[in-house]
Every structure is written in C-alpha cells, then in structure tokens.
Amino acid sequence: MMRPTLLARLALAATSLLATSAIASDAISQTTKQAINLNAIGMFVVFVLLTLGITYWAASRTKSTADFYTAGGGITGFQNGLAIAGDYMSAATLLGLTAMMYTQGVDAYIYMIAFFVGWPVILFLMAERLRNLGKFTFADITSYRLNQGKVRTMAAVSSLIVVCFYLVAQMVGAGQLIKLLFGLDYGIALVLVGALMMVYVTFGGMVATTWVQIIKACMLLFGGTVVVVLALSQFGFSFEELSARAMSVHTLGAKLFAPGNLLAEPITAISLGLGLMFGTAGLPHILMRFFTVTDAKEARKSVLFASGIVAYFFNVVALMGLAAVIIVGQNPEFFEEGQIGGKIIGGGNMVAMHLAKAVGGDLLLGFLSAVAFATILAVVAGLALAGASAISHDIYSRVIKKGTASESAELRVSKFATIGLGLVAVVLGLAFEKMNVAFMVALAFGVAASANFPVLILSMYWKGLTTRGALAGGYLGLLSAVTLVVLSKSVWVAVFGYAEPIFPYTQPALFSMPVAFLAAFVVSMLDRSAEADAERQAFGDQYVRAQTGVGAATAAAH
Amino acid sequence: MSSSVYARIRNNPQFTELVKRRGRFVWFLSAIVFVVFYGFVMAVAFAPDLVAMQPFSGSHVTVGILAGLFQFIVFWVLTLIYVRRANGEFDALNKQIVAAAWEEGK
C-alpha cells in the first residue's frame, strides 16, 4: 500500500468532519480562549430567546406521546425538509468543510458529493416505507412482524450507542468551539448547551426541536449566502477570476482543482462512501424525522427539499473555501504573528469565521458565530430526542411494560430520559475534553450503517427475515463495527497510543455491512422455528401497508 | 386494521401493477445514482489525470469540478423526477386501489 499512514490520516480527517468532533480534535491542541465577543453573544441571546419563546408555545401543544415524539405527525414536507437539513448540517459542515476546501481544493468538493449522495438513495428506497410503517422510532419498523421484545431491545441498544457517541462528540466540539468563538469557559459552554437542549426537548418535544432546526437551517443558509455573495463580489462574480487567483497563490497551485490524496486509495474511498451513504440512512435522529409528516407524499417532499438545501449549501461552502484562499490566506491579520502561510489564528477550522470577518466585519462574524452555536444546539436537541424515544417508547413502553404503560407514564419516562441523556452528555463531554473524539463519529456512522441499516432495509424488503436472523445481523454488525473502529487508527493509535493500526481503514462499513447482511441472511434461511414461519407469513400484510400506507399512523387531531 | 383489507389489496391486479411499476422506477433511478457516483469514485482513484483534465482552453475548470457539479444537479433532479411521479401517477393509482378495497369490504 502506498503512503498508508498519510491516506489513513486524510481519510480520518474526512470522517471526523462529519461532526463537530473535527473541530474538537483540531481545536484541542489549538483552542485558546478568545476575548469575549459581544456581537456574537448578543445575536446568540436573540436566538436563544426566540427558541425559548417557541418552546413555551410548543409546550402547550405537547400533550400526547405523539406530540412529543413526532409533533403529532403534522409537519409539512417543506418544514420537515428544512428541519432535516438543519439536523444534517452540523457546525462541521460549515467550518470543517470550508477549511477542507481551503487547504485541499477539489478533494473537499468530491467529499461533499459523498456526503450528499445518500439522500436520493434514502428517498428512492426508504422514505415512503419508513413513513407508512413507522410510528415513533425506526424500531417500530424492524419489530413490525418480528419478536417485539428482542428486536426492539437490539434496535434501542444500537440507537443509544449511536446517539451517545454522536452526542458526546458534538458536546466536546461545542465546548471547544464556544470557547473559541465566544470566549466562554469550556465547562460553562457545555453546561449551557446541555441545559438549553434539556429545556427544548423536555418542554417542547418534537415541536420545539423541529422549529429550532428550521430556524437554524434558515440562519445557516442566510449567513452562508451573505458571506459568499460578499466574497464573490471581490472577484466581480467571476468563477474564472476567483479560480485563477486562488491557484496563483495556493501551495497546490494548478493542482488545486485536481484530485489529491483523499480518494486515491479505492478501498478507503468505497468504505467511506458506503459509511456516509448508509450511515445517514441508519441514524436514528434522521430516521425519526420521517415520522413527523402527515403521509408518504409529504415524506417524499421532505427529502426533495432537504437534499436541495444540502446540495445548495455544499456549493456555497465550496465557494467560501475557495474565496478564503485569497481573502483569508493572503491577509496577515489572520495568521499568528502576521506570517502569511503560517498558523491560522484559532486553528484551521476558523477559516470560515475569518472570511466572514474579512468580508462583513464584526457584525457578520458575530452572526456566523451565533449560527455555529445554534447549529450545535439544533443537532444535540435532535439527538437527545431520538435517544429519549429509544428509552421511553422502545425499552420502557414496549419491552418492559409490553404496551400497557399509560401515555402520561411514557411521557414522564421520556422527559426523565432526556434529562438523563443531557447529564450523561455534559459529564462525558467534560471527561473527554482533552481527548481526540474523532473515533466517536466514525463509530456512530459505522454502527448506524452496520447494525441499524441492514436490519431496517431487510425488514422492509425481504420476506425471509426472521427474529433470529435480525438479531444475528444486528448484533454482529454492531460488534464488527465497534471492533474495527477500535482496531483502526482513530482508537488504536490516537487513544491507545500504538504505533500502527491493525485495521488500516477509517470507516468499517465496507467490511462490517457485509457481515451484518450475511449473518441476517444465513441465520434467517436456517431458521426452521414455528415463529419464523409466522413471521414470514406476516410479511404479506406488512408489504401492502408499506406500499399503500393503509393502516399507517395518521396525524393526530388537534 | 383488518387483515382482510390487506388480502383484498394484495389480490387486486392493479396493486401488482403499481408495485411492479414503482419498483422498476426506483431501482432504475437508484442504479443511476450508484453507477454515476461509484464510477466517479473509481475514476478519481484509478484515473486521476482524467479527472484533473481541463476541457476548456483558457479556463481552469477541471473535469472533476464539472463532474461534481453535474452530480449535485443530476441527483437532485432525479429526486424531483421521482417525487413528481410518485406523488402524481403512483399516488393516484394507490388511492384507487385502497378505495376499491374498502368498497369491496362493505
């Protein structure tokens, strides 16, 4: 293998960009507390007051479990599309991908396509079936005709693993970022994020979470667009002029638009592509959003709007990164000790922020900082809600109480679960402050792609899937994804300190997904139990419901 | 939901027709996405010089940039095409099938 360590490092950087953890891992060595930024804090306070007002309003509309988990199923496709985009585009999309474009050029653009391409696939293969079969969690679908207790427990366990790792990664990133942008202490930042998240979710449930995500998506789109328009105006809105000047100053020169090392090695590239594509399709907080719309029609529209917004924003980010090559990269003000080409003040992930300052002054910088904070809040709120529903709906209501729990009891459990998850996130966030948490995102996506996705897709498409097969596939997928991530560079080298990783790739998906599918297939085929026959028989009705929506959970009447 | 409704729908030849038509369409669109995307990934891995080519003289735009922009646009247009057909033609047929099943059950 040529240059394995460099490739592994690049791929690691790419994977870690999936969440704010990139900011965390980068920022850990670099974050120095900045002076308190009043513009940013002022605008952020406005955002917090607005969202708290919405939470107050949402609380009066959150009476039933359906309200809490899915906003009563009454969100429109357009609203949900914005909210999905808000859930999906983390602070790392804005900061990490701009920085990646700034340093690596077209490699970052190629990476963004991999990040985008999951959406059409989710639409074609999953969106309408998710809506027609699911109610509150994706475990509703996997356990539809299989053993409720066992299959739900498994789905809840892997959901919670995904949610917890993603949540902690976000928290650590949030603490570092807020320290940098707002000049607040790491600990204070964490408590603030955790407390706001608990308030949004416990009082406002899915209604408040959805609106926080919608507002954040609008702020992100607006902020990004303003920065890119102001930046492009410096080049007469000519892409040719921008690219010519960027190439003339960039260290890559004319190679800025030529593929570099990111995808030079096909196995890393394919595994990363699979992990991004099917990991997205197995993230519980993303899947949950499909149950908030009225019907399959709106579910499809959600993806249409969400993917359009994500595609637009990625192109905005690419242009921002390119413009920053000249506007930030040639301005000594943004380098430590005024050395152009030296260390960027605040670390590589601050490129987008410096660009905002350069083209729009302190006001735009303040706005973009507030956007980054809002982005973190929206993502952690969505995660906490997904985790809470796995605990209260799947484990408490369906597995422990076997469907006999009263709605008010279930609601109470879900609120305690949210507070519990919030506390866990803050405590673990404090514990992991000095650690490289990039592996947590690799793990979250790996588990989502290898444990959640295979069982979910097989349960919808394959008549032959039985409880034993689902359990074998799900647990083996989980085990192999976790094992491979532990043996990969991000844990074996970065956390345990060994010189060389045992598993040379960063994303386990290419290896752990086949394990899950194969196990589910073989065990189901060999399953000769009477239960298995009944489960195969039940596929017929499930199939009709998946295709037509007859019997699907409907929007609650208000 | 009574299982007999599901049975009636399953026995309706229109249902078989809907599932067949929608299924074919879905797999066709998915195949385009898979082939184009992984084809591009392979091109980047095995033929980076081709991806780095500048097809227009006097312009710095490379095949890689064009292919990237092309994918963002085409994949989104495919979602648009699917949503239009699924929310129009397929949903109309679906409504008929469901209505017929309820009617029969009366």
Side-chain angles (χ1 to χ4, degrees):
Chain A
M1 202 67 36
M2 285 188 311
R3 299 160 301 177
T5 46
L6 178 67
L7 288 171
R9 206 164 40 219
L10 281 164
L12 172 68
T15 322
S16 60
L17 281 167
L18 285 170
T20 352
S21 62
I23 293 146
S25 50
D26 258 19
I28 282 164
S29 52
Q30 295 152 342
T31 332
T32 38
K33 221 171 104 179
Q34 302 289 301
I36 288 182
N37 179 340
L38 283 178
N39 270 316
I41 291 179
M43 277 184 254
F44 181 68
V45 167
V46 172
F47 170 81
V48 168
L49 290 178
L50 180 67
T51 49
L52 287 179
I54 287 171
T55 306
Y56 181 77
W57 162 79
S60 67
R61 295 170 46 114
T62 303
K63 302 241 173 346
S64 65
T65 48
D67 296 332
F68 184 80
Y69 298 129
T70 61
I75 304 282
T76 69
F78 178 64
Q79 290 167 342
N80 197 38
L82 272 170
I84 289 175
D87 230 352
Y88 195 59
M89 297 185 297
S90 63
T93 313
L94 173 68
L95 307 181
L97 291 179
T98 310
M100 200 173 168
M101 190 76 192
Y102 171 88
T103 52
Q104 296 178 30
V106 78
D107 270 6
Y109 197 53
I110 295 170
Y111 179 72
M112 289 178 210
I113 301 162
F115 209 171
F116 167 72
V117 74
W119 286 107
V121 176
I122 289 176
L123 170 69
F124 302 151
L125 300 183
M126 294 171 77
E128 69 197 27
R129 293 184 192 219
L130 284 174
R131 180 62 192 86
N132 286 342
L133 291 174
K135 195 175 171 205
F136 297 151
T137 63
F138 82 89
D140 291 335
I141 302 166
T142 52
S143 68
Y144 191 88
R145 66 193 160 91
L146 305 181
N147 182 297
Q148 286 277 331
K150 289 175 188 158
V151 174
R152 256 186 211 278
T153 307
M154 178 184 75
V157 166
S158 54
S159 288
L160 283 170
I161 289 175
V162 172
V163 164
C164 286
F165 279 111
Y166 212 125
L167 200 54
V168 173
Q170 292 283 334
M171 290 302 264
V172 174
Q176 304 290 355
L177 184 68
I178 291 164
K179 187 158 98 183
L180 204 63
L181 293 178
F182 294 86
L184 291 177
D185 262 345
Y186 180 87
I188 295 175
L190 238 57
V191 171
L192 194 63
V193 170
L196 281 170
M197 174 197 97
M198 285 186 233
V199 170
Y200 293 149
V201 177
T202 45
F203 292 107
M206 184 52 103
V207 181
T209 303
T210 301
W211 283 101
V212 169
Q213 285 165 348
I214 290 174
I215 294 172
K216 164 255 162 131
C218 293
M219 285 170 71
L220 192 62
L221 288 172
F222 177 75
T225 305
V226 169
V227 170
V228 91
V229 167
L230 288 174
L232 287 181
S233 72
Q234 300 196 5
F235 305 94
F237 295 99
S238 155
F239 183 75
E240 210 41 65
E241 161 138 17
L242 171 64
S243 46
R245 284 183 54 192
M247 283 178 184
S248 70
V249 300
H250 201 281
T251 47
L252 288 172
K255 288 211 179 309
L256 191 63
F257 285 176
N261 292 318
L262 177 66
L263 299 172
E265 205 270 310
I267 294 185
T268 302
I270 293 176
S271 201
L272 198 65
L274 283 174
L276 291 182
M277 189 187 269
F278 297 115
T280 305
L283 290 174
H285 64 297
I286 297 282
L287 292 171
M288 196 176 183
R289 291 233 55 95
F290 285 96
F291 311 134
T292 65
V293 289
T294 26
D295 50 23
K297 213 177 199 137
E298 296 299 313
R300 295 184 198 111
K301 280 194 211 158
S302 312
V303 185
L304 179 67
F305 291 119
S307 60
I309 292 165
V310 170
Y312 167 78
F313 195 70
F314 280 170
N315 281 281
V316 164
V317 163
L319 286 172
M320 277 171 67
L322 206 54
V325 171
I326 305 140
I327 298 174
V328 176
Q330 294 301 300
N331 189 338
E333 192 191 322
F334 299 121
F335 289 92
E336 283 179 9
E337 292 155 13
Q339 292 283 323
I340 289 181
K343 236 180 115 193
I344 292 176
I345 293 175
N349 280 309
M350 293 308 285
V351 167
M353 293 298 161
H354 292 323
L355 181 67
K357 170 136 197 222
V359 299
D362 279 335
L363 199 66
L364 195 55
L365 172 66
F367 183 74
L368 217 60
S369 303
V371 167
F373 201 166
T375 289
I376 293 162
L377 276 178
V379 174
V380 296
L383 283 166
L385 188 57
S389 66
I391 294 173
S392 59
H393 178 64
D394 293 330
I395 294 182
Y396 172 76
S397 165
R398 296 298 148 112
V399 177
I400 297 178
K401 291 285 179 182
K402 299 194 165 41
T404 60
S406 72
E407 208 162 306
S408 61
E410 185 178 338
L411 210 49
R412 207 162 42 239
V413 171
S414 64
K415 292 183 176 185
F416 282 123
T418 308
I419 293 170
L421 281 169
L423 292 177
V424 167
V426 171
V427 169
L428 290 182
L430 289 170
F432 282 96
E433 177 181 357
K434 302 258 185 284
M435 252 176 81
N436 186 326
V437 292
F439 75 91
M440 292 188 176
V441 181
L443 204 58
F445 267 73
V447 170
S450 321
N452 296 353
F453 175 75
V455 177
L456 180 60
I457 200 87
L458 285 177
S459 73
M460 294 194 292
Y461 277 87
W462 187 41
K463 180 182 177 185
L465 184 73
T466 70
T467 296
R468 288 179 191 170
L471 294 176
Y475 282 124
L476 277 176
L478 178 66
L479 190 71
S480 54
V482 172
T483 309
L484 291 179
V485 171
V486 168
L487 297 180
S488 77
K489 187 175 185 294
S490 54
V491 176
W492 203 249
V493 179
V495 179
F496 293 153
Y498 291 96
E500 286 295 321
I502 295 172
F503 177 68
Y505 313 106
T506 42
Q507 245 308 325
L510 182 61
F511 305 92
S512 50
M513 279 177 70
V515 168
F517 276 111
L518 202 67
F521 180 73
V522 171
V523 173
S524 294
M525 291 297 273
L526 294 176
D527 193 349
R528 295 264 171 269
S529 63
E531 293 86 13
D533 286 335
E535 285 159 7
R536 291 185 194 109
Q537 285 298 317
F539 184 77
D541 283 356
Q542 179 199 326
Y543 185 67
V544 173
R545 172 162 158 180
Q547 294 282 355
T548 60
V550 171
T554 45
H558 271 287
Chain B
M1 192 55 48
S2 73
S3 180
S4 62
V5 175
Y6 289 135
R8 282 199 299 277
I9 292 178
R10 211 167 26 242
N11 294 329
N12 185 342
Q14 274 191 307
F15 175 70
T16 321
E17 177 63 24
L18 168 72
V19 168
K20 220 161 84 190
R21 256 201 279 169
R22 189 160 59 193
R24 254 199 320 248
F25 193 47
V26 156
W27 288 110
F28 173 66
L29 293 175
S30 305
I32 295 178
V33 172
F34 278 103
V35 169
V36 171
F37 175 68
Y38 285 104
F40 179 64
V41 169
M42 290 294 108
V44 170
F46 291 111
D49 293 340
L50 177 82
V51 182
M53 237 171 57
Q54 299 180 351
F56 310 114
S57 58
S59 165
H60 296 286
V61 171
T62 56
V63 171
I65 299 251
L66 290 176
L69 190 61
F70 172 84
Q71 287 177 77
F72 274 118
I73 295 169
V74 168
F75 293 163
W76 188 76
V77 169
L78 291 182
T79 66
L80 181 69
I81 291 171
Y82 177 72
V83 170
R84 291 195 68 127
R85 188 153 176 217
N87 281 4
E89 179 193 330
F90 296 147
D91 263 9
L93 188 56
N94 191 23
K95 232 182 222 162
Q96 275 179 30
I97 294 166
V98 175
W102 286 116
E103 197 59 34
E104 230 179 289
K106 270 184 190 166

